[in-house]
Amino acid sequence: MRLILLNPTIIDGKSTEPIEGFSIIIENNRISKLSKSPTQTEIKGAKVIDLHGFFAIPGLFDTHTHLVSPLSDVFHANETTVARYIRAGKECMDGLSVGITSVRAVGTHNYLDLAWKRSFANNMFSGPRIFASGYALTTTAGHAVEKEITYASDGGPGFRKIIREQLKEGVDHLKLLMSGGCFGDRWDSPTDTHFLTDEIESVFGIAQQRGYKVAVHAGSPESTKIAVKAGAHSIEHGYSLDEESVALMVSNNTYYVPTLLITHMTNEAALTPYHKNYITQWPLPNNLLERANANRAAHSSAFKMALEAGVKIAAGSDAGPLKDASILEIELLVQNGMSPMNAIKAATLTSAAVCEADEELGSIEEGKCADLVILRKNPVEAIGNIRSVYQVYKNGKLAIDESQ
């Protein structure tokens, strides 16, 4: 059945200003037409929803998620594998309820991202589309080596074997943990680079040979430069950057997923009631609070440097639950200097490009897949209005209806 969304204000993910006076016509899961005045022929037999006074944005992305919080061992101690699998799916479904129609997984246990990807794609359950990585690749004494979401190896041959196993399972991209992390152990600092030259060449050699993109966890300018020169598709975190690393990202069209929430999960960084409630509900242990506070200034500075230089920035939270963390990350983009309009673009069209899906997703354009979020309030006026969800459409079908 043809669906006509009548006269919402359209924030299309591309334009610099909201668009007035157009209706969105959806047929066969796609946006068939943006019409100033639907014809009687188009209206006949169609379902028409009057959205005058509402706001339509593209479906939102989170391009850095593990489907469950990477701190699940803290917040969900002693959770069984089966319980974690179920919770991952539930949190994805809850994410759809706030407008997250697509996610890029960057490290999950036992390919649970692929399991849920197939379940949602086959309509067994209603959830966001998933771009899957399988395990994140690390080294012995590398970042997150103790976490179940990583697969550790050493030397070029070891990584070649792991990557081929990942490809065999059906992953969409690869995730490489090049450096230490903000919440790492003593030997796992963001300033440390863990991969050797032969290991890097093995990872990127196979990725380039087989046509797969690599998302690289890089915490320092040095690890960022190594990753970009090797061919990284995106830099994850970038807790500190310098002018050279930022210039390399610009010249190589490398995407940046800053995951600002990681260093903003503290009272000192919480400026809104929603943010304060989040850190009350999901409090970091004291040792992690100290690290977040210690790294936040450099992280914010790196983000602002990248923003001013014109680096392509996408939205990804690296936290959970998805329905809370993803929206909070979009707010933090604005809190750290991005305009609301550009934050929406970061969470839609730029994020779709990170997932190599911008021909199909990420903007409200004729011919594209009809993933849409209808809001009661204008998110350009205040980014917090992105929470005022009225309806969510995925593949042209009404997935979430908060109109009652």
Side-chain angles (χ1 to χ4, degrees):
M1 175 185 288
R2 184 183 302 115
L3 174 65
I4 301 178
L5 304 181
L6 202 62
N7 202 29
T9 297
I10 298 173
I11 300 165
D12 65 2
K14 294 185 70 175
S15 304
T16 58
E17 297 291 336
I19 300 168
E20 304 278 1
F22 282 83
S23 296
I24 303 169
I25 302 178
I26 298 171
E27 295 181 275
N28 299 319
N29 305 328
R30 294 185 177 274
I31 300 168
S32 62
K33 187 177 181 181
L34 297 176
S35 174
K36 276 202 167 184
S37 180
T39 66
Q40 288 302 312
T41 300
E42 289 168 334
I43 292 173
K44 185 178 180 180
K47 180 177 182 180
V48 180
I49 300 176
D50 185 0
L51 292 178
H52 178 72
F54 291 85
F55 301 83
I57 65 172
L60 299 169
F61 282 69
D62 188 321
T63 63
H64 191 120
T65 179
H66 303 280
L67 303 191
V68 295
S69 170
L71 296 175
S72 288
D73 54 342
V74 174
F75 298 132
H76 301 277
N78 304 315
E79 184 176 50
T80 66
T81 298
V82 170
R84 188 157 299 181
Y85 262 65
I86 294 170
R87 183 164 61 84
K90 175 65 165 57
E91 291 191 10
C92 284
M93 295 179 219
D94 290 344
L96 183 63
S97 74
V98 298
I100 308 299
T101 56
S102 300
V103 299
R104 181 180 66 150
V106 287
T108 65
H109 175 56
N110 201 26
Y111 302 106
L112 72 83
D113 53 351
L114 284 164
W116 279 111
K117 171 185 175 172
R118 291 160 183 162
S119 294
F120 294 145
N122 292 329
N123 296 315
M124 294 174 64
F125 300 94
S126 180
R129 64 178 53 73
I130 297 175
F131 299 90
S133 73
Y135 290 94
L137 308 179
T138 191
T139 64
T140 301
H143 179 58
V145 69
E146 78 287 357
K147 302 281 189 182
E148 61 182 12
I149 64 173
T150 61
Y151 200 150
S153 190
D154 299 286
F159 281 102
R160 286 196 289 271
K161 184 174 189 300
I162 288 176
I163 291 170
R164 286 171 177 146
E165 289 176 355
Q166 300 261 83
L167 301 187
K168 182 185 70 175
E169 294 294 334
V171 301
D172 300 303
H173 56 270
L174 301 169
K175 169 69 178 301
L176 182 68
L177 302 177
M178 179 78 77
S179 76
C182 183
F183 293 162
D185 290 309
R186 178 182 58 80
W187 38 266
D188 187 13
S189 165
T191 60
D192 295 334
T193 300
H194 296 154
F195 278 71
L196 297 175
T197 300
D198 67 317
E199 295 167 333
I200 294 168
E201 290 175 349
S202 291
V203 171
F204 284 94
I206 292 182
Q208 290 161 7
Q209 179 194 60
R210 305 292 288 271
Y212 284 78
K213 302 297 186 184
V214 184
V216 179
H217 167 121
S220 68
E222 290 71 26
S223 57
T224 297
K225 292 172 206 174
I226 293 169
V228 173
K229 290 175 182 177
H233 181 59
S234 65
I235 296 297
E236 313 294 310
H237 310 301
Y239 296 122
S240 64
L241 297 170
D242 61 15
E243 291 183 0
E244 183 184 354
S245 57
V246 168
L248 275 172
M249 292 171 73
V250 172
S251 63
N252 286 274
N253 291 314
T254 309
Y255 293 93
Y256 179 35
V257 185
T259 66
L260 292 166
L261 185 52
I262 295 299
T263 57
H264 287 69
M265 294 172 68
T266 73
N267 284 312
E268 292 83 353
L271 302 184
T272 67
Y274 182 89
H275 193 168
K276 292 174 182 177
N277 181 67
Y278 178 84
I279 62 175
T280 299
Q281 188 174 4
W282 306 104
L284 290 179
N286 287 336
N287 63 324
L288 300 187
L289 279 172
E290 291 174 4
R291 295 180 198 177
N293 283 325
N295 285 281
R296 185 169 56 259
H299 196 188
S300 294
S301 177
F303 172 77
K304 291 171 184 175
M305 186 185 303
L307 180 63
E308 291 172 4
V311 174
K312 297 175 182 177
I313 296 174
S317 65
D318 195 20
L322 191 66
K323 69 180 180 66
D324 299 318
S326 301
I327 303 303
L328 184 52
E329 181 69 25
I330 297 169
E331 286 189 323
L332 288 171
L333 295 176
V334 175
Q335 182 175 314
N336 283 272
M338 185 178 276
S339 71
M341 184 66 88
N342 283 334
I344 293 167
K345 181 179 179 181
T348 56
L349 187 57
T350 307
S351 287
V354 167
C355 298
E356 299 182 275
D358 51 316
E359 294 295 319
E360 290 283 310
L361 303 167
S363 59
I364 300 176
E365 295 183 79
E366 292 179 357
K368 281 197 169 182
C369 184
D371 280 16
L372 304 164
V373 184
I374 310 302
L375 302 174
R376 300 174 189 270
K377 300 178 182 179
N378 187 351
V380 176
E381 290 182 353
I383 195 61
N385 289 339
I386 208 164
R387 290 200 194 89
S388 62
V389 172
Y390 181 74
Q391 292 176 328
V392 178
Y393 293 86
K394 182 191 170 196
N395 284 330
K397 302 290 192 299
L398 183 62
I400 302 294
D401 187 0
E402 300 289 349
S403 62
Q404 303 303 317

